[in-house]
Amino acid sequence: MKYIFLSINIFFIIFLLSTNTLAVDKNHSYEDTNRSIHNFNDSIDQNILRPTSKVYGLLPNFIETGVSNVISNLNEPSNVLNYLFQGEINSSFSSLGRLAINSTIGIVGIFDVADKMGIEELTTDFGKTLDVWGFDEGQYLVIPFIGPRTTRHFFGTITDAILNPVNHSLRDEGGIVSISPSVLFVLSSRSSNGETIDNLRSTSIDYYSSLRSIYLQNRGIKILEDLENDIDFFDDDFDDENIIFPEAKK
């Protein structure tokens, strides 16, 4: 399975490097392809991810919280590096402190001890690093198994996966062990946002456009005026950066 995802990633890297990056709010040349992939991802979500996440949601709350904390802790090395690349030294040291405290006193991150000590969780990614470095957002794309991304964010997602030392430490492990963080991340996020996602899917006139609007808003990207109506109702329902859209797969 990991080789399938690798092939998909390589294809889209080539796609990214071989096309001109155009402003996401001015070009819809990929919409037909995006909608086809969106429908494919939605089918995966409805037939596999949604029912599986509902079973996952039967776990006691303290277990779900512990899993969520571990997942957040596994992402801290990426936060440390990206804040450093962005010149945000204080944020980088804050993330490093959270990583050290939660990995030790918090028992590999099961308990968010750092938060109780007043060290707030901050999240970023290489896509935002590229923004700081002056790279354009690029095209809005829907990636198989992954979901909404701009070309810059997608390239950043791949880079984060490559740079994160956690992924390097797991690459020689068996298949189940190596992909377990990603699986748990998807299930945890889909479970915690499940009701909102299902409501959005059932009430949206155009589900694809609604997801596109919310994604662009969460990334802080300027969007078309005719998409803004889809946003207001859902402002308080979705967790920025933690949401897993039904397309899921940073």
Side-chain angles (χ1 to χ4, degrees), residues 176-205:
I176 295 178
V177 175
S178 63
I179 68 172
S180 57
S182 297
V183 172
L184 288 174
F185 173 72
V186 170
L187 290 178
S188 176
S189 298
R190 181 56 169 89
S191 177
S192 61
N193 291 289
E195 184 176 350
T196 304
I197 292 173
D198 292 341
N199 287 340
L200 176 64
R201 187 177 187 275
S202 63
T203 58
S204 294
I205 297 176

Coordinates of all heavy atoms in Angstrom, one line a residue, residues 176-205:
I176 N 2.1 -2.6 9.2 CA 1.1 -2.1 10.1 C 1.6 -1.0 11.0 O 1.0 0.0 11.3 CB 0.5 -3.3 10.9 CG1 -0.3 -4.2 10.0 CG2 -0.5 -2.8 12.0 CD1 -0.8 -5.5 10.7
V177 N 2.8 -1.3 11.5 CA 3.5 -0.3 12.4 C 3.8 1.0 11.7 O 3.5 2.1 12.3 CB 4.8 -0.9 13.0 CG1 5.5 0.1 13.9 CG2 4.4 -2.1 13.9
S178 N 4.3 0.9 10.5 CA 4.7 2.1 9.8 C 3.6 3.0 9.4 O 3.7 4.2 9.4 CB 5.5 1.7 8.6 OG 4.7 1.0 7.7
I179 N 2.4 2.5 9.1 CA 1.3 3.3 8.7 C 0.3 3.6 9.9 O -0.6 4.4 9.7 CB 0.5 2.6 7.6 CG1 -0.2 1.4 8.1 CG2 1.4 2.4 6.4 CD1 -1.2 0.8 7.0
S180 N 0.5 3.0 11.0 CA -0.4 3.1 12.1 C -0.6 4.6 12.6 O -1.8 5.0 12.9 CB 0.0 2.3 13.3 OG 1.3 2.6 13.8
P181 N 0.4 5.5 12.6 CA 0.2 6.9 13.0 C -0.8 7.5 12.0 O -1.7 8.3 12.5 CB 1.5 7.5 13.0 CG 2.5 6.4 13.2 CD 1.9 5.2 12.5
S182 N -0.6 7.3 10.7 CA -1.5 7.9 9.7 C -2.9 7.4 9.9 O -3.9 8.2 9.8 CB -1.0 7.6 8.3 OG 0.3 8.2 8.1
V183 N -3.1 6.1 10.1 CA -4.4 5.5 10.2 C -5.1 6.1 11.5 O -6.3 6.4 11.4 CB -4.3 4.0 10.3 CG1 -5.7 3.4 10.7 CG2 -3.8 3.4 9.0
L184 N -4.4 6.1 12.6 CA -5.0 6.7 13.8 C -5.3 8.1 13.7 O -6.4 8.6 14.2 CB -4.0 6.5 15.0 CG -3.8 5.0 15.5 CD1 -2.7 5.0 16.5 CD2 -5.2 4.5 16.0
F185 N -4.5 8.9 12.9 CA -4.8 10.3 12.7 C -6.1 10.5 11.9 O -6.9 11.3 12.3 CB -3.6 10.9 11.9 CG -3.9 12.4 11.5 CD1 -3.9 13.4 12.5 CD2 -4.1 12.7 10.2 CE1 -4.1 14.7 12.1 CE2 -4.4 14.0 9.8 CZ -4.4 15.0 10.8
V186 N -6.3 9.7 10.9 CA -7.5 9.8 10.1 C -8.7 9.4 10.9 O -9.7 10.1 10.9 CB -7.3 8.9 8.8 CG1 -8.7 8.8 8.1 CG2 -6.3 9.4 7.9
L187 N -8.6 8.3 11.6 CA -9.8 7.8 12.4 C -10.1 8.8 13.5 O -11.3 9.1 13.7 CB -9.5 6.4 13.0 CG -9.4 5.3 12.0 CD1 -9.1 4.0 12.7 CD2 -10.8 5.1 11.3
S188 N -9.1 9.3 14.2 CA -9.4 10.2 15.3 C -10.0 11.5 14.8 O -11.0 12.0 15.3 CB -8.0 10.5 16.0 OG -8.2 11.5 17.0
S189 N -9.5 12.0 13.7 CA -10.0 13.3 13.1 C -11.4 13.1 12.5 O -12.3 14.0 12.7 CB -9.0 13.8 12.0 OG -7.8 14.1 12.6
R190 N -11.6 12.0 11.8 CA -12.9 11.8 11.2 C -14.0 11.6 12.3 O -15.1 12.0 12.2 CB -12.9 10.5 10.3 CG -14.2 10.2 9.6 CD -14.7 11.4 8.8 NE -15.8 11.1 7.9 CZ -17.1 11.1 8.3 NH1 -17.4 11.4 9.5 NH2 -18.0 10.9 7.4
S191 N -13.6 10.9 13.4 CA -14.5 10.6 14.5 C -14.9 11.9 15.2 O -16.0 12.2 15.5 CB -13.9 9.7 15.5 OG -14.7 9.5 16.6
S192 N -13.9 12.8 15.5 CA -14.1 14.0 16.2 C -14.9 15.0 15.4 O -15.6 15.8 15.9 CB -12.8 14.6 16.7 OG -12.0 15.0 15.6
N193 N -14.8 15.0 14.1 CA -15.5 15.9 13.2 C -16.6 15.3 12.5 O -17.2 15.9 11.5 CB -14.5 16.5 12.2 CG -13.5 17.5 12.8 OD1 -13.8 18.6 13.2 ND2 -12.3 17.0 12.9
G194 N -16.9 14.0 12.8 CA -17.9 13.2 12.1 C -19.3 13.9 11.9 O -19.8 13.9 10.8
E195 N -19.8 14.4 13.0 CA -21.2 14.9 12.9 C -21.2 16.1 12.0 O -22.2 16.3 11.2 CB -21.7 15.3 14.3 CG -23.1 15.8 14.3 CD -23.6 16.0 15.7 OE1 -22.9 15.7 16.7 OE2 -24.7 16.6 15.9
T196 N -20.2 17.0 12.1 CA -20.2 18.2 11.3 C -20.0 17.9 9.8 O -20.7 18.5 9.0 CB -19.0 19.1 11.8 OG1 -19.2 19.4 13.2 CG2 -19.0 20.4 11.0
I197 N -19.1 16.9 9.5 CA -18.9 16.5 8.2 C -20.2 15.9 7.6 O -20.6 16.2 6.4 CB -17.8 15.5 8.1 CG1 -16.4 16.1 8.4 CG2 -17.7 14.8 6.7 CD1 -15.3 15.2 8.5
D198 N -20.9 15.1 8.3 CA -22.1 14.4 7.8 C -23.2 15.5 7.6 O -23.9 15.4 6.6 CB -22.6 13.4 8.8 CG -21.6 12.2 8.9 OD1 -20.8 12.0 7.9 OD2 -21.7 11.4 9.9
N199 N -23.3 16.5 8.5 CA -24.3 17.5 8.3 C -23.9 18.4 7.1 O -24.8 18.7 6.3 CB -24.3 18.4 9.6 CG -25.0 17.8 10.8 OD1 -25.7 16.8 10.6 ND2 -24.7 18.3 11.9
L200 N -22.7 18.7 6.9 CA -22.3 19.4 5.7 C -22.6 18.7 4.5 O -23.1 19.3 3.5 CB -20.8 19.7 5.8 CG -20.1 20.4 4.6 CD1 -20.7 21.9 4.5 CD2 -18.6 20.5 4.7
R201 N -22.3 17.4 4.4 CA -22.6 16.6 3.3 C -24.1 16.5 2.9 O -24.4 16.6 1.7 CB -22.0 15.2 3.5 CG -22.1 14.3 2.2 CD -21.5 12.9 2.5 NE -21.4 12.1 1.3 CZ -22.4 11.4 0.9 NH1 -23.5 11.4 1.5 NH2 -22.2 10.7 -0.3
S202 N -24.9 16.4 3.9 CA -26.3 16.3 3.7 C -27.0 17.6 3.4 O -28.1 17.6 2.8 CB -27.0 15.6 4.9 OG -26.9 16.4 6.1
T203 N -26.5 18.7 3.8 CA -27.2 20.0 3.7 C -26.6 20.8 2.5 O -27.2 21.8 2.1 CB -27.1 20.8 5.0 OG1 -25.7 21.0 5.3 CG2 -27.8 20.1 6.1
S204 N -25.4 20.5 2.0 CA -24.8 21.3 1.0 C -25.5 21.1 -0.4 O -25.7 20.0 -0.8 CB -23.3 21.0 0.8 OG -22.6 21.3 2.0
I205 N -25.8 22.2 -1.1 CA -26.3 22.1 -2.4 C -25.2 21.5 -3.3 O -25.4 20.7 -4.2 CB -26.7 23.5 -2.9 CG1 -27.9 24.0 -2.1 CG2 -27.1 23.4 -4.4 CD1 -28.4 25.4 -2.4

